[in-house]
Amino acid sequence: MEPLERVSYLTALLGAHSRNRFAALLCPLGITPQHFAALRWISLNDGSTQQEVADLMEVRRNLMVGLVDDLEAAGLVIRGRHPADRRAHALHLTASGRRVLAEGDAAADALDDEMLAPLDPCQRAAFHDALRAMAAAAGLSPGVFPENR
Amino acid sequence: MEPLERVSYLTALLGAHSRNRFAALLCPLGITPQHFAALRWISLNDGSTQQEVADLMEVRRNLMVGLVDDLEAAGLVIRGRHPADRRAHALHLTASGRRVLAEGDAAADALDDEMLAPLDPCQRAAFHDALRAMAAAAGLSPGVFPENR
DNA sequence: TATTGTTATACTCTATAACTATA
DNA sequence: TATAGTTATAGAGTATAACAATA
């Protein structure tokens, strides 16, 4: 096997490319992949606390503070009162937050098209199936866009 | 498209997994993927200067200093006299360096097998072909194992 | 006593800029 | 003057530990 042609190497190379391209596509929206992940989790679970979103994203809760600071300053998220726990914030998306989340989703779809462009429809389906099988076998629970781990 | 099932997302996830697994497999050898890449380039071009290897790895030459310091301290590389330029070091692998490089290659092969385990031979070939096509279309010249970029 | 959010601090990795000795 | 190697410094990014308010 040519060392620079290995599946593991090419996967790492293409994965880094995907991460970098996604970050570049989000840049005009004023957010990073981490912000995008936070928006997604808050959208899927409105009213979550910072601790809960941090658990879902698998980051420390102190990192969540700055992340929510950014999103709140950008008007994408609001820290509301938690109905049952006065220590916690209940996080909600604003209308802008929902719009930016949708635009981020569109950017991700565009990136999929861009990356799959050299493959024909049959190859695309096979590649996608293989990815799912390999990710499942590796025990990768899709929690957050991998900045690094 | 389910957001967490996207090709771009799964590729990034699996790519990060590959990078982390490779780093873990190299750990017993006492080197990182960066050290491994340096060993490889020196092996492919014996007598190279630090600047030349830095260019191949697409890192700054000052970062190369610490990398070669590590490899030299581990007895894997020696800084020899450059035949034509007294400013430069001519880098050579030691016998240990060649052995560690071979062991790193074996680790990478093992990682390939591990990652491809859930696929049948036909799927493996198709996945490999797709990876090459996508990497080529993305303009990814395989230079170094992507720590980050 | 445990937990949420926060802040302060430290650590890792890398980028920028200088310095030296040669070319 | 330009370049190879080196060193020093600073900047991200994240981890660790402590703190106040509340449970």
Side-chain angles (χ1 to χ4, degrees), chain B residues 34 60-63 85-87 147-148:
Chain B
Q34 268 190 328
R60 310 265 183 275
R61 68 181 186 278
N62 55 350
L63 213 152
D85 188 340
R86 297 210 299 172
R87 297 171 303 180
E147 280 296 318
N148 57 18

Side-chain angles (χ1 to χ4, degrees), chain B residues 49-69:
Chain B
T49 66
Q50 295 182 188
Q51 177 70 70
E52 286 165 350
V53 178
D55 287 343
L56 289 168
M57 293 179 62
E58 295 179 26
V59 300
R60 310 265 183 275
R61 68 181 186 278
N62 55 350
L63 213 152
M64 207 63 214
V65 176
L67 229 42
V68 176
D69 283 349

Side-chain angles (χ1 to χ4, degrees), chain A residues 8-9 41 43 51 53 56-57 59 73 84 116 138-139:
Chain A
S8 57
Y9 175 79
W41 286 118
S43 167
Q51 177 69 69
V53 177
L56 289 167
M57 292 179 62
V59 299
L116 290 169

Side-chain angles (χ1 to χ4, degrees), chain B residues 11-147:
Chain B
T11 301
L13 197 64
L14 199 64
H17 169 73
S18 176
R19 170 167 56 84
N20 293 337
R21 281 291 294 147
F22 187 53
L25 290 172
L26 287 183
C27 211
L29 302 179
I31 61 171
T32 67
Q34 268 190 328
H35 293 122
F36 179 75
L39 288 179
R40 163 163 310 293
W41 286 119
I42 297 168
S43 167
L44 290 174
N45 208 343
D46 187 75
S48 293
T49 66
Q50 295 182 188
Q51 177 70 70
E52 286 165 350
V53 178
D55 287 343
L56 289 168
M57 293 179 62
E58 295 179 26
V59 300
R60 310 265 183 275
R61 68 181 186 278
N62 55 350
L63 213 152
M64 207 63 214
V65 176
L67 229 42
V68 176
D69 283 349
D70 297 339
L71 293 172
E72 198 172 36
L76 307 179
V77 160
I78 55 174
R79 285 176 161 110
R81 284 190 183 165
H82 193 282
D85 188 340
R86 297 210 299 172
R87 297 171 303 180
H89 299 311
L91 302 176
H92 307 280
L93 292 193
T94 65
S96 288
R98 281 185 289 274
R99 196 178 327 119
V100 167
L101 176 59
E103 289 172 19
D105 271 325
D109 286 333
L111 179 55
D112 265 34
D113 291 342
E114 173 184 310
M115 290 178 64
L116 290 169
L119 308 184
D120 66 41
C122 181
Q123 289 175 306
R124 296 182 190 193
F127 183 76
H128 203 170
D129 288 344
L131 272 183
R132 276 189 284 250
M134 293 169 74
L140 300 175
S141 59
V144 60
F145 200 95
E147 280 296 318

